């Protein structure tokens, strides 16, 4: 396991083997080849499972390897005082945290506080709980996307049992004042869940400083494999499992865990360091600078201080959908609004909650920079985008004043 500390060379290599430019790193990222390499033996050579540790040494060896990763990830988030339950990703971890806690603790109260810009996996989990009789308060956000800690305080009631908020938002990059909110929630003795799926690896944090009781993580947004995540739970917090089965993952998640995925998850975190985050942030800032230089009537959505890999802009007098489709024809992958909403041609609920006017929300573009993005790709993408915007504005029915 020394390799968790020393990174073998080559991580700065550019792995782009395709000419298309992928700028949708907010939705998912490419699994780093070094991550894949680490995972491969766990398919074909080390294929035993931890639960067979009591029967034979194949199982014991895997159990030790998985526990090392579990401890490493717990250390990474400063979560020694809790359990890490591996899941199939952020979505399952959010479901497990929120449903698991609510269904175990409903006798203490049935009120939950959240926000109006949560990820769909939190929103829909809360909708399900509402059908089961729980009451949810969805806090509003400021024009930049911030939840006001005072609002959290004001909305806490006698029967509030849980506050669930995301750390960073994948659409507009806003980072919530979780530490301040955590203090308030803790003072009231209420459980605090933080969805840190998008922050995993990108923004270092401490679950202790947050005073969090449950924290959601995922691997695939930070060059880890898809289908692997985790829920961290503070010792003493009780939840009901969602998936019943054999006594895996402390009895809180039945089914044999994704062993290669867990190995890859730890490796992906190991590959992240400040240098890497700075480099991606530099590229993101470079993209924003180039966009402002080349395209008129463009504005930033969300705050300046944001997730290092995220950019969200509104280009006025064009339709985001039209831009995305035309850019795709020119070999550039980006998205407009939120991925799930764009399919329905509705304005993004996140931007709407921030008070972004309907037309501006429709003209929004979301970029996700990754480890594999290059400056050259950004230059190329901006020049293709400029071409598309100019073409669309010529025929735009959206009333641009000349
Ligand atoms: C991506 C994401 C999730 C879902 O994680 P998956 O691993 O894709 O299921 C949850 N919350 C936030 C904030 C995310 O960005």
């Amino acid at each position: 396991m020394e390799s968790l500390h020393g990174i073998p060379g080559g991580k700065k290599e550019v792995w782009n083997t395709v000419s298309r430019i992928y700028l949708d790193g907010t939705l998912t990222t490419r699994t780093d080849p070094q991550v894949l390499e680490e995972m491969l033996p766990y398919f074909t050579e080390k294929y035993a499972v931890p639960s067979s540790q009591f029967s034979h040494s194949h199982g014991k060896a895997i159990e030790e390897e998985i526990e090392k990763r579990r401890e490493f990830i717990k250390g990474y988030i400063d979560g020694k005082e809790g359990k890490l339950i591996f899941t199939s990703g952020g979505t399952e971890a959010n479901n497990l945290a929120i449903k698991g806690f609510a269904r175990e603790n409903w006798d203490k109260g049935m009120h939950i506080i959240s926000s109006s810009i949560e990820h769909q996996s939190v929103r829909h989990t809360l909708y399900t709980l509402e059908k089961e009789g729980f009451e949810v308060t969805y806090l509003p956000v400021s024009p930049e996307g911030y939840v006001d800690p005072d609002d959290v305080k004001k909305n806490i009631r006698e029967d509030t049992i849980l506050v669930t908020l995301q750390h960073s938002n994948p659409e507009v990059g806003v980072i919530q004042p979780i530490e301040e909110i955590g203090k308030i929630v803790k003072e009231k003795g209420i459980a605090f869940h933080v969805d840190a799926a998008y922050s995993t690896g990108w923004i270092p944090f401490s679950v202790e400083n947050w005073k969090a009781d449950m924290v959601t993580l995922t691997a695939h947004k930070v060059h880890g494999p898809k289908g692997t995540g985790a829920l961290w739970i503070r010792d003493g917090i009780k939840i009901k499992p969602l998936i019943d089965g054999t006594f895996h993952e402390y009895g809180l998640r039945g089914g044999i865990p994704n062993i290669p995925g867990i190995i890859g998850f730890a490796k992906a975190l190991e590959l992240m360091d400040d240098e890497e985050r700075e480099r991606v942030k530099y590229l993101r800032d470079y993209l924003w600078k180039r966009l402002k230089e080349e395209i008129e009537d463009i504005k930033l959505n969300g705050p300046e201080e944001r997730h290092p890999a995220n950019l969200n802009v509104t280009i006025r007098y064009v339709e985001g959908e039209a831009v995305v489709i035309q850019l795709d024809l020119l070999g550039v992958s980006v998205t407009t609004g939120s991925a799930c909403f764009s399919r329905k041609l509705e304005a993004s609920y996140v931007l709407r909650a921030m008070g972004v006017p309907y037309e501006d929300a429709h003209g929004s573009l979301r970029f996700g920079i990754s480890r594999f993005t290059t400056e050259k790709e950004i230059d190329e993408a901006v020049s293709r985008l400029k071409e598309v915007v100019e073409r669309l504005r010529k025929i735009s029915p959206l009333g641009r004043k000349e």
Side-chain angles (χ1 to χ4, degrees):
M1 261 326 252
E2 298 109 88
S3 65
L4 279 184
H5 307 289
I7 298 160
K11 89 170 161 147
K12 299 287 184 272
E13 268 178 60
V14 175
W15 286 87
N16 275 299
T17 50
V18 284
S19 60
R20 283 194 63 91
I21 302 174
Y22 182 83
L23 292 174
D24 198 13
T26 293
L27 193 60
T28 196
T29 57
R30 179 174 179 180
T31 301
D32 192 300
Q34 292 179 73
V35 168
L36 178 64
E37 198 183 317
E38 191 95 354
M39 290 167 67
L40 284 176
Y42 293 85
F43 289 99
T44 50
E45 294 155 33
K46 307 180 179 183
Y47 49 81
V49 293
S51 47
S52 59
Q53 61 175 299
F54 303 111
S55 314
H56 51 67
S57 27
H58 280 115
K60 184 68 192 150
I62 294 296
E63 194 262 343
E64 279 168 13
E65 299 235 24
I66 292 301
E67 290 318 302
K68 273 182 200 162
R69 267 67 176 192
R70 204 189 299 278
E71 286 311 305
F72 169 72
I73 298 172
K74 275 164 67 174
Y76 194 92
I77 60 170
D78 190 20
K80 293 287 179 199
E81 309 285 312
K83 299 181 203 54
L84 193 78
I85 297 154
F86 288 114
T87 65
S88 66
T91 298
E92 188 191 325
N94 281 338
N95 272 267
L96 177 60
I98 301 167
K99 286 179 188 158
F101 187 86
R103 289 172 183 169
E104 177 70 29
N105 296 281
W106 64 272
D107 55 335
K108 299 181 190 82
M110 293 186 80
H111 180 235
I112 299 170
I113 295 174
S114 188
S115 90
S116 46
I117 61 165
E118 296 302 310
H119 187 261
Q120 299 283 20
S121 59
V122 169
R123 282 161 76 82
H124 287 271
T125 293
L126 293 171
Y127 297 160
T128 297
L129 289 177
E130 283 176 318
K131 287 187 201 131
E132 292 174 16
F134 288 88
E135 217 185 304
V136 183
T137 300
Y138 300 91
L139 299 176
V141 295
S142 74
E144 285 188 319
Y146 291 109
V147 170
D148 182 348
D150 261 354
D151 265 353
V152 177
K153 199 173 198 165
K154 277 187 239 153
N155 282 283
I156 290 174
R157 317 189 313 209
E158 274 293 293
D159 60 342
T160 308
I161 53 167
L162 176 69
V163 174
T164 171
L165 291 171
Q166 68 191 183
H167 181 231
S168 61
N169 181 284
E171 199 175 331
V172 294
V174 60
I175 302 166
Q176 301 300 336
I178 292 297
E179 222 174 297
E180 216 181 321
I181 294 170
K183 216 185 275 170
I184 293 166
V185 177
K186 202 74 186 179
E187 267 167 23
K188 299 278 183 178
I190 293 163
F192 189 29
H193 167 243
V194 182
D195 173 8
Y198 187 42
S199 302
T200 309
W202 287 111
I203 310 173
F205 60 82
S206 152
V207 300
E208 289 304 328
N209 291 348
W210 281 357
K211 304 202 181 337
D213 295 304
M214 297 182 281
V215 174
T216 290
L217 307 172
T218 195
H220 74 99
K221 298 199 177 153
V222 65
H223 302 289
K226 294 176 217 334
T228 306
L231 180 67
W232 177 84
I233 308 187
R234 184 176 294 284
D235 292 333
I237 294 288
K238 293 218 161 25
I239 61 168
K240 266 202 200 333
L242 284 182
I243 302 174
D244 294 314
T246 324
F247 197 84
H248 296 294
E249 302 298 300
Y250 308 97
L252 291 172
R253 204 264 186 185
I256 286 170
N258 181 349
I259 303 295
I262 294 167
I263 300 294
F265 185 5
K267 183 68 183 176
L269 290 182
E270 184 203 346
L271 292 177
M272 286 306 287
D273 56 20
D274 283 341
E275 197 187 325
E276 192 71 0
R277 295 180 191 108
E278 278 305 311
R279 205 177 61 82
V280 168
K281 182 172 178 294
Y282 164 81
L283 287 172
R284 191 276 316 277
D285 291 343
Y286 179 69
L287 170 62
W288 179 217
K289 176 176 152 277
R290 295 287 297 122
L291 286 172
K292 280 188 288 189
E293 283 167 1
E294 297 297 329
I295 296 166
E296 278 174 43
D297 294 314
I298 186 166
K299 75 175 196 38
L300 184 69
N301 293 314
E304 288 278 350
E305 276 296 317
R306 61 204 288 141
H307 189 290
N310 173 286
L311 186 70
N312 189 311
V313 299
T314 284
I315 301 177
R316 292 233 165 85
Y317 317 115
V318 291
E319 273 265 319
E321 283 293 318
V323 175
V324 166
I325 291 164
Q326 298 225 4
L327 257 186
D328 186 52
L329 293 174
L330 295 179
V332 182
S333 300
V334 294
T335 39
T336 174
S338 120
C340 307
F341 267 60
S342 58
R343 228 172 284 145
K344 288 197 244 157
L345 256 182
E346 274 174 39
S348 134
Y349 67 89
V350 174
L351 294 175
R352 297 294 292 136
M354 288 159 61
V356 172
Y358 194 74
E359 307 77 47
D360 282 3
H362 264 311
S364 75
L365 283 187
R366 189 191 69 191
F367 298 92
I369 307 296
S370 89
R371 170 178 300 155
F372 303 105
T373 310
T374 64
E375 228 173 272
K376 194 161 153 269
E377 280 184 321
I378 290 178
D379 285 331
E380 193 51 45
V382 171
S383 118
R384 293 179 203 175
L385 177 59
K386 183 182 178 173
E387 188 186 321
V388 166
V389 169
E390 279 171 1
R391 200 190 305 155
L392 286 172
R393 277 178 176 169
K394 268 195 204 124
I395 55 166
S396 170
L398 297 175
R400 184 179 190 219
K401 293 181 197 74
E402 290 298 333

